[in-house]
Amino acid sequence: MPLFSFEGLAPTVHPTAFVAPTATLVGDVRVEEGASIWYNAVLRADFGPIVVRAGANVQDGCVLHGGDDPVTEIGAGATIGHLCVVHGSVIGAECVVGNGATIQDGARIGARSLIGAGSTVPPNKVIPEGTLVLGPAAATKGGLTPEAERWVRTNPDIYRELAQRHAKTVTPVVP
């Protein structure tokens, strides 16, 4: 399994956890007891830590990225289905996030909720415990908000700088 430290922070994987040999973990990623990270999943903790709690599973092709929030967390026993994106958000215990769903920065998904396949949970949305969420959130809303304009303006420089940080500090971790 490809494990990489980033700026001195290395992934930790509990001995009873399964990480597929083609999954990639970078930086401050913590995989707890009995959790599983499946084939071609990428967990990149360079903007913030990622914690996959005990018994949770992150399925094939998922992308988890730490955000500005203190921690990106997958709750105990939660399922993150194939090809999901979880970005800077918290998924409660025993949630199911259906295939291809996207959970954006600052979202909080309550325990034992189900996010339907292909659904998008927008930034900072709070989903109460035991809730069913279905459908995409995309809709034309007019011109850019100041926050959206900031993202469009600053993201290229952020990633140029981040690429340089990775190039200078990413090193393989031998388990």
Side-chain angles (χ1 to χ4, degrees), residues 35-50:
S36 57
I37 312 299
W38 291 87
Y39 300 91
N40 297 323
V42 175
L43 286 67
R44 180 163 55 97
D46 51 12
F47 284 161
I50 298 171

Side-chain angles (χ1 to χ4, degrees), residues 83-95:
L83 298 173
C84 288
V85 174
V86 177
H87 201 280
S89 52
V90 175
I91 310 298
E94 300 175 1
C95 283

Side-chain angles (χ1 to χ4, degrees), residues 113-126:
S113 292
L114 189 148
I115 309 301
S119 296
T120 298
V121 177
N124 302 311
K125 180 78 172 173
V126 176

Side-chain angles (χ1 to χ4, degrees), residues 120-143:
T120 298
V121 177
N124 302 311
K125 180 78 172 173
V126 176
I127 305 296
E129 181 174 330
T131 299
L132 173 63
V133 176
L134 300 173
T140 301
K141 299 292 185 179

Side-chain angles (χ1 to χ4, degrees), residues 53 73-79 91-96 109-113 129:
R53 297 284 180 205
E73 181 175 345
I74 308 303
T79 293
I91 310 298
E94 300 175 1
C95 283
V96 173
I109 312 300
R112 290 170 297 288
S113 292
E129 181 174 330

Side-chain angles (χ1 to χ4, degrees), residues 55-69:
N57 67 90
V58 176
Q59 296 177 4
D60 311 70
C62 287
V63 174
L64 278 61
H65 189 207
D68 293 333
D69 202 70

Side-chain angles (χ1 to χ4, degrees), residues 24-41:
T24 301
L25 283 59
V26 180
D28 191 6
V29 176
R30 294 168 243 159
V31 181
E32 293 184 349
E33 180 179 357
S36 57
I37 312 299
W38 291 87
Y39 300 91
N40 297 323

